[in-house]
Coordinates of all heavy atoms in Angstrom, one line a residue:
M36 N -15.5 11.2 -0.5 CA -14.2 10.7 -0.4 C -13.7 10.1 -1.7 O -14.6 9.4 -2.3 CB -14.1 9.7 0.8 CG -12.7 9.1 0.9 SD -12.6 7.8 2.2 CE -13.0 8.8 3.6
T37 N -12.5 10.3 -2.1 CA -12.0 9.6 -3.3 C -11.2 8.4 -2.9 O -10.8 8.2 -1.7 CB -11.2 10.6 -4.1 OG1 -10.0 10.9 -3.3 CG2 -11.9 11.8 -4.4
L38 N -10.8 7.6 -3.9 CA -9.9 6.5 -3.6 C -8.5 7.0 -3.2 O -7.9 6.4 -2.3 CB -9.8 5.6 -4.9 CG -9.4 4.1 -4.6 CD1 -10.3 3.5 -3.5 CD2 -9.5 3.3 -5.9
H39 N -8.1 8.1 -3.7 CA -6.9 8.7 -3.3 C -6.9 9.1 -1.8 O -6.0 8.8 -1.1 CB -6.6 10.0 -4.2 CG -5.4 10.7 -3.8 ND1 -4.1 10.2 -4.1 CD2 -5.2 11.8 -3.1 CE1 -3.2 11.1 -3.6 NE2 -3.8 12.1 -3.0
D40 N -8.0 9.7 -1.4 CA -8.2 10.1 0.0 C -8.1 8.8 0.9 O -7.5 8.9 1.9 CB -9.5 10.8 0.2 CG -9.7 12.1 -0.5 OD1 -8.7 12.7 -0.8 OD2 -10.8 12.4 -0.8
A41 N -8.8 7.8 0.5 CA -8.7 6.5 1.2 C -7.3 6.0 1.4 O -6.9 5.5 2.4 CB -9.7 5.5 0.6
G42 N -6.6 6.1 0.3 CA -5.2 5.6 0.2 C -4.4 6.3 1.3 O -3.5 5.7 2.0
I43 N -4.5 7.6 1.3 CA -3.8 8.5 2.3 C -4.1 8.0 3.7 O -3.3 7.9 4.6 CB -4.0 9.9 2.1 CG1 -3.3 10.4 0.7 CG2 -3.4 10.8 3.2 CD1 -3.7 11.8 0.2
L44 N -5.4 7.9 4.0 CA -5.9 7.4 5.3 C -5.3 6.1 5.7 O -4.8 5.9 6.8 CB -7.4 7.3 5.4 CG -8.1 8.7 5.4 CD1 -9.6 8.5 5.1 CD2 -8.0 9.4 6.7
L45 N -5.2 5.2 4.7 CA -4.7 3.8 5.0 C -3.2 4.0 5.3 O -2.7 3.3 6.2 CB -4.9 2.9 3.8 CG -6.3 2.5 3.6 CD1 -6.5 1.8 2.2 CD2 -6.9 1.6 4.7
L46 N -2.5 4.8 4.5 CA -1.0 5.0 4.8 C -0.8 5.6 6.2 O 0.3 5.4 6.8 CB -0.4 5.9 3.8 CG -0.2 5.3 2.4 CD1 0.2 6.3 1.4 CD2 0.7 4.1 2.4
N47 N -1.8 6.2 6.8 CA -1.7 6.8 8.1 C -2.4 6.0 9.2 O -2.7 6.5 10.2 CB -2.3 8.3 8.1 CG -1.3 9.2 7.4 OD1 -0.2 9.5 7.9 ND2 -1.7 9.7 6.2
S48 N -2.5 4.7 8.8 CA -3.1 3.7 9.8 C -4.5 4.0 10.2 O -4.9 3.7 11.4 CB -2.2 3.5 11.0 OG -0.9 3.1 10.6
K49 N -5.3 4.6 9.3 CA -6.7 4.9 9.6 C -7.5 3.9 8.8 O -7.6 4.0 7.6 CB -7.1 6.3 9.2 CG -6.2 7.4 9.9 CD -6.5 7.5 11.3 CE -5.8 8.7 12.0 NZ -4.5 8.5 12.4
P50 N -8.2 2.9 9.4 CA -9.0 2.0 8.7 C -10.1 2.7 8.0 O -10.8 3.6 8.5 CB -9.5 1.0 9.8 CG -8.6 1.2 10.9 CD -8.1 2.6 10.9
V51 N -10.5 2.2 6.7 CA -11.5 2.7 5.9 C -12.5 1.5 5.6 O -12.0 0.5 5.1 CB -11.0 3.3 4.6 CG1 -12.1 3.8 3.8 CG2 -10.0 4.4 5.0
I52 N -13.8 1.8 5.8 CA -14.8 0.8 5.5 C -15.6 1.4 4.4 O -16.2 2.5 4.6 CB -15.6 0.4 6.7 CG1 -14.7 -0.1 7.9 CG2 -16.8 -0.5 6.3 CD1 -15.5 -0.1 9.2
A53 N -15.6 0.8 3.2 CA -16.3 1.4 2.0 C -17.6 0.6 1.7 O -17.7 -0.6 1.8 CB -15.4 1.3 0.8
L54 N -18.6 1.4 1.3 CA -19.9 0.9 0.8 C -19.8 0.7 -0.7 O -19.5 1.7 -1.4 CB -21.0 1.8 1.2 CG -22.4 1.4 0.7 CD1 -22.8 0.1 1.4 CD2 -23.4 2.5 1.1
V55 N -19.9 -0.5 -1.1 CA -19.7 -0.8 -2.6 C -21.0 -1.5 -3.2 O -21.8 -2.1 -2.4 CB -18.5 -1.7 -2.9 CG1 -17.2 -0.9 -2.5 CG2 -18.6 -3.0 -2.2
D56 N -21.1 -1.6 -4.5 CA -22.1 -2.4 -5.1 C -21.4 -3.7 -5.5 O -20.6 -3.7 -6.4 CB -22.5 -1.6 -6.4 CG -23.5 -2.4 -7.2 OD1 -23.7 -3.6 -7.0 OD2 -24.2 -1.8 -8.1
P57 N -21.8 -4.8 -4.8 CA -21.1 -6.0 -5.0 C -21.3 -6.7 -6.3 O -20.6 -7.5 -6.7 CB -21.6 -6.9 -3.8 CG -22.9 -6.3 -3.5 CD -22.8 -4.9 -3.7
S58 N -22.4 -6.2 -7.0 CA -22.6 -6.8 -8.3 C -21.4 -6.6 -9.3 O -21.2 -7.4 -10.2 CB -23.9 -6.3 -8.9 OG -23.7 -4.8 -9.3
L59 N -20.7 -5.4 -9.1 CA -19.6 -5.2 -9.9 C -18.3 -5.9 -9.5 O -17.4 -6.1 -10.3 CB -19.3 -3.7 -10.0 CG -20.4 -2.8 -10.6 CD1 -20.2 -1.4 -10.3 CD2 -20.5 -3.2 -12.1
L60 N -18.3 -6.3 -8.3 CA -17.1 -7.1 -7.8 C -17.2 -8.5 -7.9 O -16.3 -9.2 -8.2 CB -16.8 -6.7 -6.3 CG -16.5 -5.2 -6.0 CD1 -16.3 -5.1 -4.5 CD2 -15.2 -4.8 -6.8
Y61 N -18.5 -9.1 -7.8 CA -18.7 -10.5 -7.7 C -19.8 -11.0 -8.6 O -20.2 -12.2 -8.5 CB -19.1 -10.9 -6.3 CG -18.1 -10.4 -5.2 CD1 -18.6 -9.5 -4.2 CD2 -16.8 -10.7 -5.2 CE1 -17.8 -9.0 -3.3 CE2 -16.0 -10.2 -4.2 CZ -16.5 -9.4 -3.2 OH -15.6 -8.9 -2.3
N62 N -20.2 -10.2 -9.6 CA -21.3 -10.6 -10.5 C -22.5 -11.1 -9.8 O -23.1 -12.2 -10.0 CB -20.8 -11.7 -11.5 CG -19.7 -11.2 -12.3 OD1 -19.8 -10.1 -12.8 ND2 -18.7 -12.0 -12.5
R63 N -22.9 -10.3 -8.7 CA -24.1 -10.6 -8.0 C -25.3 -9.7 -8.4 O -25.0 -8.7 -9.1 CB -23.9 -10.4 -6.5 CG -22.9 -11.4 -5.9 CD -22.9 -11.2 -4.4 NE -22.0 -12.2 -3.8 CZ -21.7 -12.3 -2.5 NH1 -22.2 -11.4 -1.7 NH2 -20.9 -13.2 -2.1
P64 N -26.5 -10.0 -8.0 CA -27.6 -9.1 -8.3 C -27.4 -7.6 -7.8 O -26.8 -7.4 -6.8 CB -28.8 -9.7 -7.6 CG -28.4 -11.1 -7.3 CD -26.9 -11.1 -7.2
V65 N -27.9 -6.7 -8.6 CA -27.8 -5.3 -8.3 C -28.9 -4.9 -7.3 O -29.9 -5.6 -7.2 CB -27.9 -4.4 -9.6 CG1 -27.9 -2.9 -9.3 CG2 -26.9 -4.8 -10.6
G66 N -28.7 -3.9 -6.6 CA -29.8 -3.4 -5.7 C -29.5 -3.3 -4.3 O -30.4 -2.9 -3.6
F67 N -28.3 -3.7 -3.9 CA -28.1 -3.5 -2.4 C -26.6 -3.1 -2.3 O -25.8 -3.3 -3.2 CB -28.3 -4.8 -1.6 CG -27.4 -6.0 -2.0 CD1 -26.3 -6.2 -1.3 CD2 -27.8 -6.8 -3.1 CE1 -25.5 -7.3 -1.6 CE2 -27.0 -7.9 -3.4 CZ -25.8 -8.1 -2.7
G68 N -26.3 -2.5 -1.1 CA -25.0 -2.1 -0.9 C -24.3 -3.1 0.0 O -25.0 -4.0 0.7
H69 N -23.0 -3.0 0.1 CA -22.2 -4.0 0.9 C -20.9 -3.3 1.4 O -20.3 -2.6 0.6 CB -21.9 -5.2 0.0 CG -21.1 -6.3 0.6 ND1 -21.7 -7.1 1.6 CD2 -19.9 -6.8 0.5 CE1 -20.9 -8.0 2.0 NE2 -19.8 -7.8 1.3
F70 N -20.6 -3.6 2.6 CA -19.4 -3.0 3.2 C -18.2 -3.9 3.1 O -18.3 -5.1 3.4 CB -19.6 -2.6 4.7 CG -20.6 -1.5 4.9 CD1 -21.9 -1.6 5.2 CD2 -20.1 -0.1 4.7 CE1 -22.8 -0.6 5.3 CE2 -21.0 0.9 4.9 CZ -22.3 0.7 5.2
V71 N -17.1 -3.3 2.8 CA -15.8 -4.0 2.8 C -14.7 -3.1 3.5 O -14.9 -1.9 3.6 CB -15.3 -4.3 1.4 CG1 -16.3 -5.2 0.7 CG2 -15.1 -3.0 0.5
V72 N -13.7 -3.8 4.1 CA -12.7 -3.0 4.8 C -11.5 -3.0 3.9 O -10.9 -4.0 3.5 CB -12.3 -3.8 6.1 CG1 -11.2 -3.1 6.9 CG2 -13.6 -4.0 7.0
L73 N -11.1 -1.8 3.6 CA -9.9 -1.6 2.7 C -8.6 -1.9 3.4 O -8.5 -1.5 4.6 CB -9.8 -0.1 2.2 CG -11.1 0.4 1.4 CD1 -10.9 1.8 0.9 CD2 -11.4 -0.6 0.2
L74 N -7.7 -2.5 2.8 CA -6.4 -2.8 3.3 C -5.3 -2.0 2.8 O -4.5 -1.5 3.4 CB -6.1 -4.3 3.1 CG -7.1 -5.3 3.7 CD1 -6.7 -6.7 3.3 CD2 -7.1 -5.1 5.2
S75 N -5.3 -1.9 1.4 CA -4.3 -1.1 0.7 C -4.7 -0.8 -0.7 O -5.6 -1.5 -1.2 CB -2.9 -1.9 0.7 OG -3.0 -3.0 -0.1
I76 N -4.0 0.2 -1.3 CA -4.3 0.6 -2.6 C -2.9 0.7 -3.3 O -2.2 1.7 -2.9 CB -5.1 1.8 -2.8 CG1 -6.4 1.7 -2.0 CG2 -5.3 2.2 -4.2 CD1 -7.1 3.0 -1.7
E77 N -2.5 -0.2 -4.1 CA -1.2 -0.2 -4.7 C -1.1 -1.1 -5.9 O -1.8 -2.0 -6.1 CB -0.1 -0.5 -3.7 CG -0.3 -1.9 -3.1 CD 0.6 -2.2 -2.0 OE1 1.4 -1.3 -1.6 OE2 0.5 -3.3 -1.4
L78 N -0.1 -0.7 -6.8 CA 0.2 -1.5 -8.0 C -1.1 -1.8 -8.8 O -1.3 -2.9 -9.3 CB 0.9 -2.8 -7.6 CG 2.2 -2.6 -6.8 CD1 2.7 -4.0 -6.4 CD2 3.2 -1.9 -7.6
G79 N -2.0 -0.8 -8.9 CA -3.2 -1.0 -9.7 C -4.3 -1.8 -9.2 O -5.2 -2.1 -9.9
E80 N -4.1 -2.1 -7.9 CA -5.2 -3.0 -7.2 C -5.6 -2.4 -5.9 O -4.8 -1.7 -5.2 CB -4.7 -4.4 -7.0 CG -4.5 -5.2 -8.2 CD -4.1 -6.7 -7.9 OE1 -3.4 -6.9 -6.9 OE2 -4.5 -7.5 -8.7
V81 N -6.8 -2.8 -5.5 CA -7.3 -2.5 -4.2 C -7.4 -3.8 -3.4 O -7.9 -4.8 -3.9 CB -8.7 -1.8 -4.2 CG1 -9.3 -1.6 -2.8 CG2 -8.7 -0.5 -5.0
Q82 N -6.8 -3.9 -2.3 CA -6.9 -5.1 -1.4 C -7.9 -4.8 -0.3 O -7.8 -3.7 0.3 CB -5.5 -5.5 -0.8 CG -4.5 -6.0 -1.9 CD -3.8 -4.9 -2.6 OE1 -3.6 -3.8 -2.0 NE2 -3.5 -5.1 -3.8
Y83 N -8.7 -5.8 0.0 CA -9.8 -5.5 1.0 C -10.2 -6.8 1.7 O -10.0 -7.9 1.1 CB -11.0 -4.8 0.4 CG -11.6 -5.5 -0.7 CD1 -12.7 -6.3 -0.5 CD2 -11.1 -5.4 -2.1 CE1 -13.3 -7.0 -1.5 CE2 -11.7 -6.0 -3.1 CZ -12.8 -6.8 -2.8 OH -13.4 -7.5 -3.9
H84 N -10.8 -6.7 2.8 CA -11.5 -7.9 3.5 C -13.0 -7.7 3.2 O -13.5 -6.6 3.4 CB -11.2 -7.8 5.0 CG -9.9 -8.3 5.4 ND1 -9.2 -9.3 4.8 CD2 -9.1 -7.8 6.4 CE1 -8.0 -9.5 5.5 NE2 -7.9 -8.6 6.4
D85 N -13.6 -8.8 2.9 CA -15.0 -8.8 2.7 C -15.7 -9.7 3.7 O -15.4 -10.9 3.7 CB -15.4 -9.3 1.3 CG -16.8 -9.2 1.0 OD1 -17.7 -9.5 1.9 OD2 -17.2 -8.8 -0.1
P86 N -16.5 -9.2 4.7 CA -17.0 -10.1 5.7 C -17.9 -11.2 5.2 O -18.1 -12.2 5.9 CB -17.8 -9.2 6.6 CG -18.1 -8.0 5.8 CD -16.9 -7.9 4.8
D87 N -18.4 -11.1 4.0 CA -19.3 -12.1 3.4 C -18.5 -13.1 2.5 O -18.8 -14.2 2.5 CB -20.3 -11.4 2.6 CG -21.4 -12.3 2.0 OD1 -21.8 -13.3 2.8 OD2 -21.8 -12.2 0.9
V88 N -17.5 -12.6 1.8 CA -16.8 -13.4 0.9 C -15.5 -14.0 1.4 O -15.2 -15.2 1.2 CB -16.5 -12.7 -0.5 CG1 -15.7 -13.5 -1.4 CG2 -17.8 -12.2 -1.1
G89 N -14.7 -13.2 2.1 CA -13.5 -13.6 2.7 C -12.4 -12.6 2.8 O -12.5 -11.5 2.3
P90 N -11.3 -12.9 3.5 CA -10.2 -12.0 3.6 C -9.3 -11.9 2.4 O -9.4 -12.8 1.5 CB -9.4 -12.6 4.8 CG -9.7 -14.0 4.7 CD -11.1 -14.2 4.2
N91 N -8.6 -10.8 2.4 CA -7.5 -10.7 1.3 C -8.1 -10.8 -0.1 O -7.5 -11.4 -0.9 CB -6.4 -11.6 1.5 CG -5.8 -11.5 2.9 OD1 -5.5 -10.4 3.3 ND2 -5.6 -12.6 3.6
M92 N -9.2 -10.0 -0.4 CA -9.7 -10.0 -1.7 C -9.0 -8.9 -2.5 O -8.4 -8.0 -1.9 CB -11.2 -9.7 -1.7 CG -12.0 -10.7 -0.8 SD -12.0 -12.3 -1.4 CE -12.9 -12.1 -3.0
T93 N -9.0 -9.0 -3.8 CA -8.4 -7.9 -4.6 C -9.3 -7.6 -5.8 O -10.1 -8.4 -6.2 CB -7.0 -8.3 -5.2 OG1 -7.2 -9.5 -6.0 CG2 -6.0 -8.6 -4.2
S94 N -9.2 -6.4 -6.3 CA -9.9 -5.8 -7.4 C -9.0 -4.8 -8.1 O -8.2 -4.2 -7.5 CB -11.2 -5.2 -6.9 OG -11.9 -4.6 -8.0
T95 N -9.2 -4.7 -9.4 CA -8.5 -3.6 -10.1 C -9.1 -2.3 -9.5 O -10.2 -2.2 -9.0 CB -8.7 -3.7 -11.6 OG1 -10.1 -3.4 -11.9 CG2 -8.3 -4.9 -12.2
I96 N -8.2 -1.3 -9.6 CA -8.6 0.1 -9.1 C -9.9 0.5 -9.9 O -10.9 1.0 -9.3 CB -7.5 1.1 -9.2 CG1 -6.5 0.8 -8.1 CG2 -8.0 2.5 -9.1 CD1 -5.3 1.7 -8.1
D97 N -9.9 0.3 -11.2 CA -11.0 0.8 -12.0 C -12.3 0.1 -11.6 O -13.4 0.7 -11.5 CB -10.8 0.5 -13.5 CG -9.7 1.4 -14.1 OD1 -9.4 2.5 -13.4 OD2 -9.1 1.1 -15.1
R98 N -12.3 -1.2 -11.4 CA -13.5 -2.0 -11.1 C -14.0 -1.6 -9.7 O -15.2 -1.4 -9.4 CB -13.3 -3.5 -11.1 CG -14.5 -4.3 -10.8 CD -14.3 -5.7 -11.0 NE -14.3 -6.0 -12.4 CZ -15.2 -6.7 -13.0 NH1 -16.1 -7.3 -12.3 NH2 -15.2 -6.9 -14.3
F99 N -13.0 -1.5 -8.7 CA -13.4 -1.1 -7.4 C -14.0 0.3 -7.3 O -15.0 0.5 -6.7 CB -12.2 -1.2 -6.4 CG -12.6 -1.0 -5.0 CD1 -13.0 -2.1 -4.2 CD2 -12.6 0.2 -4.4 CE1 -13.4 -2.0 -2.9 CE2 -13.1 0.4 -3.1 CZ -13.5 -0.7 -2.3
E100 N -13.3 1.2 -8.0 CA -13.8 2.6 -8.1 C -15.2 2.7 -8.6 O -16.1 3.4 -8.1 CB -12.9 3.5 -8.9 CG -12.8 4.8 -8.3 CD -11.6 5.6 -8.8 OE1 -10.9 5.2 -9.8 OE2 -11.2 6.5 -8.1
L101 N -15.6 1.9 -9.6 CA -16.9 1.9 -10.2 C -17.9 1.3 -9.2 O -19.0 1.9 -9.0 CB -16.9 1.1 -11.5 CG -18.3 1.1 -12.3 CD1 -18.7 2.5 -12.6 CD2 -18.1 0.3 -13.5
A102 N -17.5 0.3 -8.5 CA -18.4 -0.3 -7.5 C -18.7 0.6 -6.3 O -19.8 0.7 -5.8 CB -17.8 -1.7 -7.0
W103 N -17.6 1.4 -6.0 CA -17.8 2.4 -4.9 C -18.6 3.6 -5.4 O -19.4 4.1 -4.7 CB -16.4 2.8 -4.4 CG -16.3 3.5 -3.1 CD1 -17.3 3.4 -2.1 CD2 -15.3 4.3 -2.6 NE1 -16.8 4.1 -1.0 CE2 -15.6 4.7 -1.4 CE3 -14.0 4.7 -3.2 CZ2 -14.7 5.5 -0.6 CZ3 -13.2 5.5 -2.4 CH2 -13.6 5.9 -1.1
Q104 N -18.3 4.0 -6.6 CA -19.1 5.2 -7.1 C -20.6 4.9 -7.2 O -21.4 5.8 -7.0 CB -18.5 5.6 -8.5 CG -17.2 6.3 -8.4 CD -16.5 6.5 -9.8 OE1 -17.0 6.0 -10.8 NE2 -15.4 7.2 -9.8
R105 N -20.9 3.7 -7.5 CA -22.3 3.3 -7.6 C -23.1 3.6 -6.2 O -24.3 3.7 -6.2 CB -22.5 1.9 -7.9 CG -22.4 1.6 -9.4 CD -23.7 1.0 -9.9 NE -23.5 0.7 -11.4 CZ -23.6 -0.5 -11.9 NH1 -23.8 -1.5 -11.1 NH2 -23.4 -0.6 -13.2
K106 N -22.3 3.6 -5.2 CA -22.9 3.8 -3.8 C -22.4 5.2 -3.3 O -22.3 5.4 -2.1 CB -22.5 2.7 -2.9 CG -23.1 1.4 -3.3 CD -24.6 1.5 -3.3 CE -25.3 0.2 -3.8 NZ -26.7 0.3 -3.9
N107 N -22.1 6.1 -4.2 CA -21.8 7.5 -3.9 C -20.5 7.6 -3.1 O -20.4 8.6 -2.3 CB -23.0 8.2 -3.2 CG -24.2 8.2 -4.2 OD1 -24.1 8.6 -5.3 ND2 -25.3 7.8 -3.6
Q108 N -19.6 6.7 -3.2 CA -18.3 6.8 -2.5 C -18.5 7.0 -1.0 O -17.7 7.8 -0.4 CB -17.4 7.8 -3.2 CG -17.0 7.3 -4.6 CD -16.1 8.3 -5.3 OE1 -16.5 9.4 -5.7 NE2 -14.8 8.0 -5.4
K109 N -19.4 6.4 -0.4 CA -19.6 6.4 1.0 C -18.6 5.6 1.7 O -18.3 4.4 1.3 CB -21.1 6.1 1.4 CG -22.0 7.1 0.8 CD -23.4 6.8 1.3 CE -24.4 7.8 0.7 NZ -25.8 7.4 0.9
A110 N -18.2 6.0 2.9 CA -17.2 5.3 3.6 C -17.2 5.7 5.1 O -17.7 6.8 5.4 CB -15.8 5.5 3.1
V111 N -16.7 4.8 6.0 CA -16.6 5.1 7.4 C -15.1 5.0 7.7 O -14.4 4.1 7.2 CB -17.3 4.0 8.2 CG1 -17.1 4.2 9.7 CG2 -18.8 4.0 7.9
V112 N -14.6 6.0 8.3 CA -13.2 6.0 8.7 C -13.1 5.8 10.2 O -13.8 6.5 11.0 CB -12.5 7.3 8.4 CG1 -11.0 7.3 8.7 CG2 -12.6 7.6 6.9
V113 N -12.2 4.9 10.7 CA -12.1 4.6 12.1 C -10.9 5.4 12.6 O -9.8 5.2 12.2 CB -11.9 3.1 12.3 CG1 -11.8 2.8 13.8 CG2 -13.1 2.3 11.7
Y114 N -11.2 6.2 13.6 CA -10.2 7.0 14.3 C -10.0 6.4 15.7 O -10.8 6.6 16.6 CB -10.5 8.5 14.4 CG -10.4 9.2 13.1 CD1 -11.6 9.3 12.2 CD2 -9.2 9.7 12.6 CE1 -11.5 9.9 11.0 CE2 -9.1 10.3 11.4 CZ -10.3 10.5 10.6 OH -10.2 11.1 9.4
P115 N -8.9 5.6 16.0 CA -8.7 5.1 17.3 C -8.6 6.2 18.3 O -8.1 7.3 18.1 CB -7.4 4.3 17.2 CG -7.2 4.1 15.7 CD -7.9 5.3 15.0
S116 N -9.2 5.9 19.5 CA -9.2 6.8 20.6 C -7.9 6.9 21.4 O -7.1 6.0 21.3 CB -10.3 6.6 21.5 OG -10.2 5.3 22.1

């Protein structure tokens, strides 16, 4: 999945949970993955909730994309029943 794909899903009210490398988002040690819930992608930023750090976090698209690519751009998409 690409960040563009995630953006389309978000526009269609499909929640996306992304696996990222938090060392690139928060200057933490490398070596583990971390899940965040994407909220929106707009104006050069990614907005997301982080269950460990807090709600309404932001990152530049470039930094977020690099953190996501480090974990092979893995994501979970929630399709309400």
Side-chain angles (χ1 to χ4, degrees):
M36 176 183 300
T37 66
L38 203 53
H39 176 75
D40 297 334
I43 291 170
L44 288 164
L45 292 170
L46 287 173
N47 287 292
S48 300
K49 304 290 189 274
V51 178
I52 302 167
L54 178 63
V55 297
D56 180 342
S58 69
L59 294 169
L60 297 177
Y61 309 119
N62 297 319
R63 291 185 177 181
V65 179
F67 65 95
H69 184 66
F70 287 100
V71 297
V72 180
L73 301 183
L74 300 174
S75 66
I76 303 164
E77 57 190 0
L78 303 173
E80 291 188 328
V81 177
Q82 291 83 33
Y83 59 94
H84 285 319
D85 185 322
D87 187 39
V88 177
N91 301 314
M92 304 297 295
T93 62
S94 173
T95 64
I96 285 177
D97 290 341
R98 180 174 286 246
F99 188 89
E100 211 159 24
L101 184 58
W103 197 21
Q104 287 171 349
R105 279 242 181 118
K106 295 300 174 185
N107 301 312
Q108 291 178 289
K109 293 182 181 172
V111 175
V112 179
V113 179
Y114 291 91
S116 57

